[in-house]
Amino acid sequence: TFLAKGSATLGKLKDLCNGGKEHPSVLLQLFTQAVLDITYFEENHLVDEDFPEESSLQKVKELICILSEPEDLVRECNINEEPISILGAELLECLYWRKGALLYMYCHTAKERSEWLQANIAIFKKCLNDGLHYLMKMLSFRCPLQLNEDVSLQHKDTARLLSEGIFSDTHLLAMMYSGEMCYWGLQHCGEGKQESPGTIDAISNSDLGCRSQSVSLDFRETGKNMLQKYVAVCEGPLEGQGWNTTTAKGMLCYFVKSHK
């Protein structure tokens, strides 16, 4: 299980720390892997329990704080390098994907609880906003590959994916999740930029904890951009690979129609 795997990684980390010979980057990467494994177990438990209304927001907040610890630790170690140089793009992508996907799953459940939603619309919006920031950050760690004319015909589809910044299925899923969250935001909260910074800060500090994002995104524009790219890729280089665009196209229509 992931819990056992995480525990084994922590054991290995302890041995290496006691040895005192490993480079800090190796130790920090091991710590990150342990965090990812242990929190994955916790997240699955939340999903299995269908995000209990009374306790799940606090648990989500705690998990996001834990998933932020590796990056915080890099900064606290006074290593004069950016987290990406120490942890690598792949681990950082995992951390941000997991934070974004966790908020996506939480919001997916919360939006169906009409009474809760009515009473907590600002918190719901903040969860959407934070989740979007995490997913967009996840998509930004690796620079899209620049296409050149020498790309052979058989590699053109792959090259196009890389030029769009899509390096894995998870990158594509992050685009779809982002589009969906924008759709929920527009449906339930209206346009993205309404609260004053003071309101946002108050919500951030009281409810969502250590890693809230204070800049409110434009749900319509962000969602439209993400879903247009998603549809273009699924119907272009990934055509016939099993990626469905029906839902994405429906949401794109909503973004356009609700603007008129």
PDB file of all heavy atoms in Angstrom, residues 94-131:
ATOM      1  N   CYS A  94       3.928  16.754  -9.522  1.00  0.00           N
ATOM      2  CA  CYS A  94       3.116  15.833  -8.709  1.00  0.00           C
ATOM      3  C   CYS A  94       2.498  16.554  -7.517  1.00  0.00           C
ATOM      4  O   CYS A  94       1.313  16.380  -7.220  1.00  0.00           O
ATOM      5  CB  CYS A  94       3.973  14.678  -8.185  1.00  0.00           C
ATOM      6  SG  CYS A  94       4.233  13.393  -9.393  1.00  0.00           S
ATOM      7  N   LEU A  95       3.304  17.358  -6.829  1.00  0.00           N
ATOM      8  CA  LEU A  95       2.808  18.076  -5.646  1.00  0.00           C
ATOM      9  C   LEU A  95       1.664  19.013  -6.017  1.00  0.00           C
ATOM     10  O   LEU A  95       0.625  19.057  -5.348  1.00  0.00           O
ATOM     11  CB  LEU A  95       3.945  18.877  -4.994  1.00  0.00           C
ATOM     12  CG  LEU A  95       5.026  18.055  -4.276  1.00  0.00           C
ATOM     13  CD1 LEU A  95       6.224  18.938  -3.936  1.00  0.00           C
ATOM     14  CD2 LEU A  95       4.479  17.391  -3.010  1.00  0.00           C
ATOM     15  N   TYR A  96       1.835  19.768  -7.098  1.00  0.00           N
ATOM     16  CA  TYR A  96       0.797  20.736  -7.491  1.00  0.00           C
ATOM     17  C   TYR A  96      -0.419  20.044  -8.100  1.00  0.00           C
ATOM     18  O   TYR A  96      -1.558  20.475  -7.893  1.00  0.00           O
ATOM     19  CB  TYR A  96       1.382  21.791  -8.442  1.00  0.00           C
ATOM     20  CG  TYR A  96       2.077  22.890  -7.682  1.00  0.00           C
ATOM     21  CD1 TYR A  96       3.411  22.770  -7.302  1.00  0.00           C
ATOM     22  CD2 TYR A  96       1.389  24.035  -7.286  1.00  0.00           C
ATOM     23  CE1 TYR A  96       4.047  23.760  -6.563  1.00  0.00           C
ATOM     24  CE2 TYR A  96       2.015  25.038  -6.555  1.00  0.00           C
ATOM     25  CZ  TYR A  96       3.343  24.893  -6.196  1.00  0.00           C
ATOM     26  OH  TYR A  96       3.955  25.879  -5.458  1.00  0.00           O
ATOM     27  N   TRP A  97      -0.176  18.966  -8.837  1.00  0.00           N
ATOM     28  CA  TRP A  97      -1.291  18.189  -9.381  1.00  0.00           C
ATOM     29  C   TRP A  97      -2.150  17.644  -8.248  1.00  0.00           C
ATOM     30  O   TRP A  97      -3.371  17.736  -8.271  1.00  0.00           O
ATOM     31  CB  TRP A  97      -0.763  17.046 -10.251  1.00  0.00           C
ATOM     32  CG  TRP A  97      -1.755  15.929 -10.462  1.00  0.00           C
ATOM     33  CD1 TRP A  97      -1.705  14.674  -9.948  1.00  0.00           C
ATOM     34  CD2 TRP A  97      -2.971  15.983 -11.234  1.00  0.00           C
ATOM     35  NE1 TRP A  97      -2.800  13.940 -10.344  1.00  0.00           N
ATOM     36  CE2 TRP A  97      -3.593  14.718 -11.134  1.00  0.00           C
ATOM     37  CE3 TRP A  97      -3.582  16.983 -11.995  1.00  0.00           C
ATOM     38  CZ2 TRP A  97      -4.799  14.422 -11.766  1.00  0.00           C
ATOM     39  CZ3 TRP A  97      -4.795  16.689 -12.623  1.00  0.00           C
ATOM     40  CH2 TRP A  97      -5.387  15.421 -12.511  1.00  0.00           C
ATOM     41  N   ARG A  98      -1.490  17.114  -7.227  1.00  0.00           N
ATOM     42  CA  ARG A  98      -2.231  16.504  -6.125  1.00  0.00           C
ATOM     43  C   ARG A  98      -3.030  17.551  -5.341  1.00  0.00           C
ATOM     44  O   ARG A  98      -4.156  17.301  -4.916  1.00  0.00           O
ATOM     45  CB  ARG A  98      -1.253  15.750  -5.226  1.00  0.00           C
ATOM     46  CG  ARG A  98      -0.680  14.491  -5.904  1.00  0.00           C
ATOM     47  CD  ARG A  98      -1.612  13.315  -5.780  1.00  0.00           C
ATOM     48  NE  ARG A  98      -1.735  13.031  -4.378  1.00  0.00           N
ATOM     49  CZ  ARG A  98      -0.803  12.391  -3.657  1.00  0.00           C
ATOM     50  NH1 ARG A  98       0.285  11.926  -4.245  1.00  0.00           N
ATOM     51  NH2 ARG A  98      -0.975  12.195  -2.379  1.00  0.00           N
ATOM     52  N   LYS A  99      -2.460  18.738  -5.182  1.00  0.00           N
ATOM     53  CA  LYS A  99      -3.198  19.809  -4.488  1.00  0.00           C
ATOM     54  C   LYS A  99      -4.399  20.256  -5.326  1.00  0.00           C
ATOM     55  O   LYS A  99      -5.510  20.410  -4.816  1.00  0.00           O
ATOM     56  CB  LYS A  99      -2.270  21.001  -4.196  1.00  0.00           C
ATOM     57  CG  LYS A  99      -1.251  20.715  -3.105  1.00  0.00           C
ATOM     58  CD  LYS A  99      -0.510  21.963  -2.652  1.00  0.00           C
ATOM     59  CE  LYS A  99       0.648  22.315  -3.536  1.00  0.00           C
ATOM     60  NZ  LYS A  99       1.507  23.374  -2.945  1.00  0.00           N
ATOM     61  N   GLY A 100      -4.165  20.437  -6.615  1.00  0.00           N
ATOM     62  CA  GLY A 100      -5.246  20.870  -7.499  1.00  0.00           C
ATOM     63  C   GLY A 100      -6.333  19.821  -7.646  1.00  0.00           C
ATOM     64  O   GLY A 100      -7.528  20.124  -7.583  1.00  0.00           O
ATOM     65  N   ALA A 101      -5.917  18.564  -7.818  1.00  0.00           N
ATOM     66  CA  ALA A 101      -6.884  17.473  -7.999  1.00  0.00           C
ATOM     67  C   ALA A 101      -7.694  17.233  -6.724  1.00  0.00           C
ATOM     68  O   ALA A 101      -8.879  16.898  -6.778  1.00  0.00           O
ATOM     69  CB  ALA A 101      -6.163  16.194  -8.426  1.00  0.00           C
ATOM     70  N   LEU A 102      -7.053  17.422  -5.577  1.00  0.00           N
ATOM     71  CA  LEU A 102      -7.762  17.263  -4.298  1.00  0.00           C
ATOM     72  C   LEU A 102      -8.880  18.299  -4.174  1.00  0.00           C
ATOM     73  O   LEU A 102     -10.014  17.972  -3.803  1.00  0.00           O
ATOM     74  CB  LEU A 102      -6.772  17.404  -3.134  1.00  0.00           C
ATOM     75  CG  LEU A 102      -7.357  17.326  -1.715  1.00  0.00           C
ATOM     76  CD1 LEU A 102      -8.037  15.980  -1.464  1.00  0.00           C
ATOM     77  CD2 LEU A 102      -6.266  17.565  -0.668  1.00  0.00           C
ATOM     78  N   LEU A 103      -8.570  19.538  -4.515  1.00  0.00           N
ATOM     79  CA  LEU A 103      -9.598  20.586  -4.453  1.00  0.00           C
ATOM     80  C   LEU A 103     -10.668  20.373  -5.526  1.00  0.00           C
ATOM     81  O   LEU A 103     -11.843  20.664  -5.305  1.00  0.00           O
ATOM     82  CB  LEU A 103      -8.956  21.973  -4.587  1.00  0.00           C
ATOM     83  CG  LEU A 103      -8.293  22.468  -3.293  1.00  0.00           C
ATOM     84  CD1 LEU A 103      -7.431  23.695  -3.556  1.00  0.00           C
ATOM     85  CD2 LEU A 103      -9.331  22.785  -2.215  1.00  0.00           C
ATOM     86  N   TYR A 104     -10.263  19.844  -6.670  1.00  0.00           N
ATOM     87  CA  TYR A 104     -11.234  19.502  -7.717  1.00  0.00           C
ATOM     88  C   TYR A 104     -12.234  18.472  -7.178  1.00  0.00           C
ATOM     89  O   TYR A 104     -13.455  18.629  -7.314  1.00  0.00           O
ATOM     90  CB  TYR A 104     -10.504  18.945  -8.945  1.00  0.00           C
ATOM     91  CG  TYR A 104     -11.415  18.278  -9.958  1.00  0.00           C
ATOM     92  CD1 TYR A 104     -12.037  19.013 -10.966  1.00  0.00           C
ATOM     93  CD2 TYR A 104     -11.663  16.906  -9.902  1.00  0.00           C
ATOM     94  CE1 TYR A 104     -12.882  18.399 -11.895  1.00  0.00           C
ATOM     95  CE2 TYR A 104     -12.505  16.287 -10.820  1.00  0.00           C
ATOM     96  CZ  TYR A 104     -13.109  17.039 -11.810  1.00  0.00           C
ATOM     97  OH  TYR A 104     -13.950  16.425 -12.712  1.00  0.00           O
ATOM     98  N   MET A 105     -11.713  17.418  -6.556  1.00  0.00           N
ATOM     99  CA  MET A 105     -12.590  16.352  -6.040  1.00  0.00           C
ATOM    100  C   MET A 105     -13.478  16.867  -4.905  1.00  0.00           C
ATOM    101  O   MET A 105     -14.653  16.514  -4.814  1.00  0.00           O
ATOM    102  CB  MET A 105     -11.750  15.155  -5.577  1.00  0.00           C
ATOM    103  CG  MET A 105     -11.089  14.417  -6.725  1.00  0.00           C
ATOM    104  SD  MET A 105     -10.209  12.920  -6.205  1.00  0.00           S
ATOM    105  CE  MET A 105      -8.803  13.602  -5.332  1.00  0.00           C
ATOM    106  N   TYR A 106     -12.891  17.714  -4.061  1.00  0.00           N
ATOM    107  CA  TYR A 106     -13.675  18.287  -2.963  1.00  0.00           C
ATOM    108  C   TYR A 106     -14.822  19.137  -3.519  1.00  0.00           C
ATOM    109  O   TYR A 106     -15.977  19.003  -3.099  1.00  0.00           O
ATOM    110  CB  TYR A 106     -12.778  19.137  -2.053  1.00  0.00           C
ATOM    111  CG  TYR A 106     -13.558  19.861  -0.982  1.00  0.00           C
ATOM    112  CD1 TYR A 106     -14.071  19.170   0.117  1.00  0.00           C
ATOM    113  CD2 TYR A 106     -13.826  21.224  -1.089  1.00  0.00           C
ATOM    114  CE1 TYR A 106     -14.823  19.823   1.089  1.00  0.00           C
ATOM    115  CE2 TYR A 106     -14.573  21.883  -0.122  1.00  0.00           C
ATOM    116  CZ  TYR A 106     -15.071  21.175   0.960  1.00  0.00           C
ATOM    117  OH  TYR A 106     -15.826  21.824   1.915  1.00  0.00           O
ATOM    118  N   CYS A 107     -14.506  19.999  -4.479  1.00  0.00           N
ATOM    119  CA  CYS A 107     -15.529  20.881  -5.069  1.00  0.00           C
ATOM    120  C   CYS A 107     -16.577  20.079  -5.838  1.00  0.00           C
ATOM    121  O   CYS A 107     -17.755  20.434  -5.853  1.00  0.00           O
ATOM    122  CB  CYS A 107     -14.875  21.911  -5.997  1.00  0.00           C
ATOM    123  SG  CYS A 107     -13.879  23.129  -5.118  1.00  0.00           S
ATOM    124  N   HIS A 108     -16.139  19.002  -6.470  1.00  0.00           N
ATOM    125  CA  HIS A 108     -17.053  18.131  -7.215  1.00  0.00           C
ATOM    126  C   HIS A 108     -18.144  17.596  -6.288  1.00  0.00           C
ATOM    127  O   HIS A 108     -19.318  17.503  -6.665  1.00  0.00           O
ATOM    128  CB  HIS A 108     -16.259  16.968  -7.824  1.00  0.00           C
ATOM    129  CG  HIS A 108     -17.050  16.113  -8.768  1.00  0.00           C
ATOM    130  ND1 HIS A 108     -17.897  15.114  -8.335  1.00  0.00           N
ATOM    131  CD2 HIS A 108     -17.130  16.118 -10.122  1.00  0.00           C
ATOM    132  CE1 HIS A 108     -18.460  14.539  -9.385  1.00  0.00           C
ATOM    133  NE2 HIS A 108     -18.017  15.132 -10.481  1.00  0.00           N
ATOM    134  N   THR A 109     -17.744  17.263  -5.059  1.00  0.00           N
ATOM    135  CA  THR A 109     -18.707  16.764  -4.067  1.00  0.00           C
ATOM    136  C   THR A 109     -19.496  17.915  -3.444  1.00  0.00           C
ATOM    137  O   THR A 109     -20.721  17.850  -3.319  1.00  0.00           O
ATOM    138  CB  THR A 109     -17.962  15.982  -2.959  1.00  0.00           C
ATOM    139  OG1 THR A 109     -17.217  14.926  -3.568  1.00  0.00           O
ATOM    140  CG2 THR A 109     -18.933  15.388  -1.956  1.00  0.00           C
ATOM    141  N   ALA A 110     -18.786  18.979  -3.083  1.00  0.00           N
ATOM    142  CA  ALA A 110     -19.420  20.099  -2.361  1.00  0.00           C
ATOM    143  C   ALA A 110     -20.504  20.791  -3.186  1.00  0.00           C
ATOM    144  O   ALA A 110     -21.513  21.248  -2.640  1.00  0.00           O
ATOM    145  CB  ALA A 110     -18.356  21.110  -1.941  1.00  0.00           C
ATOM    146  N   LYS A 111     -20.317  20.849  -4.502  1.00  0.00           N
ATOM    147  CA  LYS A 111     -21.295  21.570  -5.337  1.00  0.00           C
ATOM    148  C   LYS A 111     -22.666  20.888  -5.349  1.00  0.00           C
ATOM    149  O   LYS A 111     -23.669  21.503  -5.701  1.00  0.00           O
ATOM    150  CB  LYS A 111     -20.771  21.732  -6.767  1.00  0.00           C
ATOM    151  CG  LYS A 111     -20.727  20.465  -7.587  1.00  0.00           C
ATOM    152  CD  LYS A 111     -20.166  20.712  -8.978  1.00  0.00           C
ATOM    153  CE  LYS A 111     -19.879  19.415  -9.715  1.00  0.00           C
ATOM    154  NZ  LYS A 111     -21.043  18.566  -9.954  1.00  0.00           N
ATOM    155  N   GLU A 112     -22.697  19.615  -4.972  1.00  0.00           N
ATOM    156  CA  GLU A 112     -23.971  18.890  -4.929  1.00  0.00           C
ATOM    157  C   GLU A 112     -24.714  19.093  -3.609  1.00  0.00           C
ATOM    158  O   GLU A 112     -25.848  18.653  -3.464  1.00  0.00           O
ATOM    159  CB  GLU A 112     -23.726  17.385  -5.146  1.00  0.00           C
ATOM    160  CG  GLU A 112     -23.035  17.041  -6.466  1.00  0.00           C
ATOM    161  CD  GLU A 112     -23.803  17.530  -7.690  1.00  0.00           C
ATOM    162  OE1 GLU A 112     -25.057  17.569  -7.629  1.00  0.00           O
ATOM    163  OE2 GLU A 112     -23.157  17.887  -8.692  1.00  0.00           O
ATOM    164  N   ARG A 113     -24.069  19.728  -2.642  1.00  0.00           N
ATOM    165  CA  ARG A 113     -24.697  19.958  -1.330  1.00  0.00           C
ATOM    166  C   ARG A 113     -25.276  21.366  -1.308  1.00  0.00           C
ATOM    167  O   ARG A 113     -24.619  22.319  -0.890  1.00  0.00           O
ATOM    168  CB  ARG A 113     -23.657  19.765  -0.222  1.00  0.00           C
ATOM    169  CG  ARG A 113     -23.171  18.329  -0.146  1.00  0.00           C
ATOM    170  CD  ARG A 113     -22.012  18.136   0.811  1.00  0.00           C
ATOM    171  NE  ARG A 113     -21.693  16.715   0.933  1.00  0.00           N
ATOM    172  CZ  ARG A 113     -20.512  16.237   1.283  1.00  0.00           C
ATOM    173  NH1 ARG A 113     -19.521  17.067   1.572  1.00  0.00           N
ATOM    174  NH2 ARG A 113     -20.305  14.932   1.360  1.00  0.00           N
ATOM    175  N   SER A 114     -26.494  21.481  -1.788  1.00  0.00           N
ATOM    176  CA  SER A 114     -27.059  22.807  -2.056  1.00  0.00           C
ATOM    177  C   SER A 114     -27.128  23.705  -0.817  1.00  0.00           C
ATOM    178  O   SER A 114     -26.829  24.895  -0.895  1.00  0.00           O
ATOM    179  CB  SER A 114     -28.439  22.685  -2.708  1.00  0.00           C
ATOM    180  OG  SER A 114     -29.265  21.849  -1.932  1.00  0.00           O
ATOM    181  N   GLU A 115     -27.498  23.133   0.321  1.00  0.00           N
ATOM    182  CA  GLU A 115     -27.579  23.961   1.537  1.00  0.00           C
ATOM    183  C   GLU A 115     -26.202  24.458   1.956  1.00  0.00           C
ATOM    184  O   GLU A 115     -26.018  25.626   2.295  1.00  0.00           O
ATOM    185  CB  GLU A 115     -28.215  23.158   2.686  1.00  0.00           C
ATOM    186  CG  GLU A 115     -29.728  23.097   2.594  1.00  0.00           C
ATOM    187  CD  GLU A 115     -30.344  22.413   3.804  1.00  0.00           C
ATOM    188  OE1 GLU A 115     -29.760  22.500   4.904  1.00  0.00           O
ATOM    189  OE2 GLU A 115     -31.405  21.784   3.634  1.00  0.00           O
ATOM    190  N   TRP A 116     -25.237  23.551   1.936  1.00  0.00           N
ATOM    191  CA  TRP A 116     -23.866  23.935   2.295  1.00  0.00           C
ATOM    192  C   TRP A 116     -23.356  24.997   1.322  1.00  0.00           C
ATOM    193  O   TRP A 116     -22.767  26.002   1.724  1.00  0.00           O
ATOM    194  CB  TRP A 116     -22.940  22.710   2.259  1.00  0.00           C
ATOM    195  CG  TRP A 116     -21.519  23.060   2.629  1.00  0.00           C
ATOM    196  CD1 TRP A 116     -20.965  23.037   3.872  1.00  0.00           C
ATOM    197  CD2 TRP A 116     -20.486  23.530   1.744  1.00  0.00           C
ATOM    198  NE1 TRP A 116     -19.657  23.461   3.826  1.00  0.00           N
ATOM    199  CE2 TRP A 116     -19.330  23.772   2.531  1.00  0.00           C
ATOM    200  CE3 TRP A 116     -20.420  23.777   0.366  1.00  0.00           C
ATOM    201  CZ2 TRP A 116     -18.128  24.237   1.989  1.00  0.00           C
ATOM    202  CZ3 TRP A 116     -19.223  24.250  -0.175  1.00  0.00           C
ATOM    203  CH2 TRP A 116     -18.091  24.472   0.627  1.00  0.00           C
ATOM    204  N   LEU A 117     -23.630  24.771   0.049  1.00  0.00           N
ATOM    205  CA  LEU A 117     -23.142  25.677  -0.994  1.00  0.00           C
ATOM    206  C   LEU A 117     -23.705  27.083  -0.808  1.00  0.00           C
ATOM    207  O   LEU A 117     -22.981  28.078  -0.910  1.00  0.00           O
ATOM    208  CB  LEU A 117     -23.529  25.122  -2.369  1.00  0.00           C
ATOM    209  CG  LEU A 117     -22.828  25.724  -3.588  1.00  0.00           C
ATOM    210  CD1 LEU A 117     -21.322  25.524  -3.513  1.00  0.00           C
ATOM    211  CD2 LEU A 117     -23.365  25.103  -4.872  1.00  0.00           C
ATOM    212  N   GLN A 118     -24.973  27.142  -0.506  1.00  0.00           N
ATOM    213  CA  GLN A 118     -25.627  28.437  -0.306  1.00  0.00           C
ATOM    214  C   GLN A 118     -25.002  29.198   0.868  1.00  0.00           C
ATOM    215  O   GLN A 118     -24.789  30.409   0.802  1.00  0.00           O
ATOM    216  CB  GLN A 118     -27.121  28.208  -0.035  1.00  0.00           C
ATOM    217  CG  GLN A 118     -27.980  29.368  -0.484  1.00  0.00           C
ATOM    218  CD  GLN A 118     -29.464  29.021  -0.397  1.00  0.00           C
ATOM    219  OE1 GLN A 118     -29.843  27.865  -0.223  1.00  0.00           O
ATOM    220  NE2 GLN A 118     -30.310  30.021  -0.503  1.00  0.00           N
ATOM    221  N   ALA A 119     -24.686  28.457   1.912  1.00  0.00           N
ATOM    222  CA  ALA A 119     -24.144  29.092   3.123  1.00  0.00           C
ATOM    223  C   ALA A 119     -22.644  29.375   3.016  1.00  0.00           C
ATOM    224  O   ALA A 119     -22.107  30.192   3.761  1.00  0.00           O
ATOM    225  CB  ALA A 119     -24.406  28.194   4.331  1.00  0.00           C
ATOM    226  N   ASN A 120     -21.975  28.687   2.092  1.00  0.00           N
ATOM    227  CA  ASN A 120     -20.503  28.779   2.043  1.00  0.00           C
ATOM    228  C   ASN A 120     -19.972  29.094   0.643  1.00  0.00           C
ATOM    229  O   ASN A 120     -18.906  28.624   0.262  1.00  0.00           O
ATOM    230  CB  ASN A 120     -19.894  27.449   2.516  1.00  0.00           C
ATOM    231  CG  ASN A 120     -20.236  27.135   3.952  1.00  0.00           C
ATOM    232  OD1 ASN A 120     -19.639  27.667   4.877  1.00  0.00           O
ATOM    233  ND2 ASN A 120     -21.211  26.260   4.149  1.00  0.00           N
ATOM    234  N   ILE A 121     -20.709  29.912  -0.087  1.00  0.00           N
ATOM    235  CA  ILE A 121     -20.348  30.150  -1.488  1.00  0.00           C
ATOM    236  C   ILE A 121     -18.958  30.787  -1.631  1.00  0.00           C
ATOM    237  O   ILE A 121     -18.207  30.481  -2.560  1.00  0.00           O
ATOM    238  CB  ILE A 121     -21.435  30.995  -2.215  1.00  0.00           C
ATOM    239  CG1 ILE A 121     -21.248  30.925  -3.738  1.00  0.00           C
ATOM    240  CG2 ILE A 121     -21.475  32.426  -1.714  1.00  0.00           C
ATOM    241  CD1 ILE A 121     -21.553  29.588  -4.337  1.00  0.00           C
ATOM    242  N   ALA A 122     -18.595  31.646  -0.681  1.00  0.00           N
ATOM    243  CA  ALA A 122     -17.272  32.297  -0.758  1.00  0.00           C
ATOM    244  C   ALA A 122     -16.152  31.274  -0.552  1.00  0.00           C
ATOM    245  O   ALA A 122     -15.109  31.340  -1.214  1.00  0.00           O
ATOM    246  CB  ALA A 122     -17.171  33.412   0.279  1.00  0.00           C
ATOM    247  N   ILE A 123     -16.375  30.330   0.353  1.00  0.00           N
ATOM    248  CA  ILE A 123     -15.373  29.276   0.586  1.00  0.00           C
ATOM    249  C   ILE A 123     -15.272  28.382  -0.649  1.00  0.00           C
ATOM    250  O   ILE A 123     -14.177  28.023  -1.091  1.00  0.00           O
ATOM    251  CB  ILE A 123     -15.736  28.435   1.834  1.00  0.00           C
ATOM    252  CG1 ILE A 123     -15.611  29.299   3.087  1.00  0.00           C
ATOM    253  CG2 ILE A 123     -14.844  27.204   1.946  1.00  0.00           C
ATOM    254  CD1 ILE A 123     -16.146  28.641   4.345  1.00  0.00           C
ATOM    255  N   PHE A 124     -16.421  28.039  -1.218  1.00  0.00           N
ATOM    256  CA  PHE A 124     -16.443  27.215  -2.427  1.00  0.00           C
ATOM    257  C   PHE A 124     -15.657  27.896  -3.549  1.00  0.00           C
ATOM    258  O   PHE A 124     -14.823  27.284  -4.216  1.00  0.00           O
ATOM    259  CB  PHE A 124     -17.898  26.980  -2.860  1.00  0.00           C
ATOM    260  CG  PHE A 124     -18.049  26.155  -4.111  1.00  0.00           C
ATOM    261  CD1 PHE A 124     -17.771  24.794  -4.101  1.00  0.00           C
ATOM    262  CD2 PHE A 124     -18.475  26.738  -5.297  1.00  0.00           C
ATOM    263  CE1 PHE A 124     -17.914  24.025  -5.259  1.00  0.00           C
ATOM    264  CE2 PHE A 124     -18.621  25.982  -6.455  1.00  0.00           C
ATOM    265  CZ  PHE A 124     -18.340  24.621  -6.437  1.00  0.00           C
ATOM    266  N   LYS A 125     -15.901  29.184  -3.704  1.00  0.00           N
ATOM    267  CA  LYS A 125     -15.203  29.933  -4.752  1.00  0.00           C
ATOM    268  C   LYS A 125     -13.696  29.958  -4.498  1.00  0.00           C
ATOM    269  O   LYS A 125     -12.891  29.847  -5.419  1.00  0.00           O
ATOM    270  CB  LYS A 125     -15.751  31.358  -4.830  1.00  0.00           C
ATOM    271  CG  LYS A 125     -15.158  32.163  -5.971  1.00  0.00           C
ATOM    272  CD  LYS A 125     -15.858  33.492  -6.129  1.00  0.00           C
ATOM    273  CE  LYS A 125     -15.266  34.268  -7.292  1.00  0.00           C
ATOM    274  NZ  LYS A 125     -15.943  35.549  -7.502  1.00  0.00           N
ATOM    275  N   LYS A 126     -13.337  30.085  -3.232  1.00  0.00           N
ATOM    276  CA  LYS A 126     -11.915  30.114  -2.882  1.00  0.00           C
ATOM    277  C   LYS A 126     -11.260  28.760  -3.162  1.00  0.00           C
ATOM    278  O   LYS A 126     -10.118  28.691  -3.619  1.00  0.00           O
ATOM    279  CB  LYS A 126     -11.761  30.485  -1.401  1.00  0.00           C
ATOM    280  CG  LYS A 126     -10.360  30.950  -1.060  1.00  0.00           C
ATOM    281  CD  LYS A 126     -10.106  32.327  -1.654  1.00  0.00           C
ATOM    282  CE  LYS A 126      -8.665  32.751  -1.542  1.00  0.00           C
ATOM    283  NZ  LYS A 126      -7.751  32.050  -2.418  1.00  0.00           N
ATOM    284  N   CYS A 127     -11.988  27.695  -2.887  1.00  0.00           N
ATOM    285  CA  CYS A 127     -11.469  26.351  -3.186  1.00  0.00           C
ATOM    286  C   CYS A 127     -11.245  26.187  -4.687  1.00  0.00           C
ATOM    287  O   CYS A 127     -10.223  25.645  -5.123  1.00  0.00           O
ATOM    288  CB  CYS A 127     -12.438  25.279  -2.693  1.00  0.00           C
ATOM    289  SG  CYS A 127     -12.493  25.101  -0.901  1.00  0.00           S
ATOM    290  N   LEU A 128     -12.206  26.658  -5.472  1.00  0.00           N
ATOM    291  CA  LEU A 128     -12.063  26.597  -6.929  1.00  0.00           C
ATOM    292  C   LEU A 128     -10.848  27.406  -7.377  1.00  0.00           C
ATOM    293  O   LEU A 128     -10.028  26.949  -8.175  1.00  0.00           O
ATOM    294  CB  LEU A 128     -13.319  27.154  -7.614  1.00  0.00           C
ATOM    295  CG  LEU A 128     -14.606  26.332  -7.534  1.00  0.00           C
ATOM    296  CD1 LEU A 128     -15.765  27.118  -8.142  1.00  0.00           C
ATOM    297  CD2 LEU A 128     -14.457  24.990  -8.244  1.00  0.00           C
ATOM    298  N   ASN A 129     -10.750  28.608  -6.846  1.00  0.00           N
ATOM    299  CA  ASN A 129      -9.671  29.509  -7.233  1.00  0.00           C
ATOM    300  C   ASN A 129      -8.297  28.920  -6.890  1.00  0.00           C
ATOM    301  O   ASN A 129      -7.375  28.915  -7.708  1.00  0.00           O
ATOM    302  CB  ASN A 129      -9.871  30.853  -6.528  1.00  0.00           C
ATOM    303  CG  ASN A 129      -9.069  31.966  -7.171  1.00  0.00           C
ATOM    304  OD1 ASN A 129      -9.250  32.269  -8.341  1.00  0.00           O
ATOM    305  ND2 ASN A 129      -8.174  32.556  -6.415  1.00  0.00           N
ATOM    306  N   ASP A 130      -8.189  28.388  -5.677  1.00  0.00           N
ATOM    307  CA  ASP A 130      -6.916  27.788  -5.263  1.00  0.00           C
ATOM    308  C   ASP A 130      -6.585  26.568  -6.123  1.00  0.00           C
ATOM    309  O   ASP A 130      -5.451  26.384  -6.560  1.00  0.00           O
ATOM    310  CB  ASP A 130      -6.974  27.370  -3.790  1.00  0.00           C
ATOM    311  CG  ASP A 130      -6.794  28.551  -2.844  1.00  0.00           C
ATOM    312  OD1 ASP A 130      -6.746  29.694  -3.333  1.00  0.00           O
ATOM    313  OD2 ASP A 130      -6.707  28.333  -1.627  1.00  0.00           O
ATOM    314  N   GLY A 131      -7.601  25.726  -6.340  1.00  0.00           N
ATOM    315  CA  GLY A 131      -7.386  24.532  -7.156  1.00  0.00           C
ATOM    316  C   GLY A 131      -6.906  24.882  -8.555  1.00  0.00           C
ATOM    317  O   GLY A 131      -5.993  24.251  -9.098  1.00  0.00           O
TER     318      GLY A 131
END
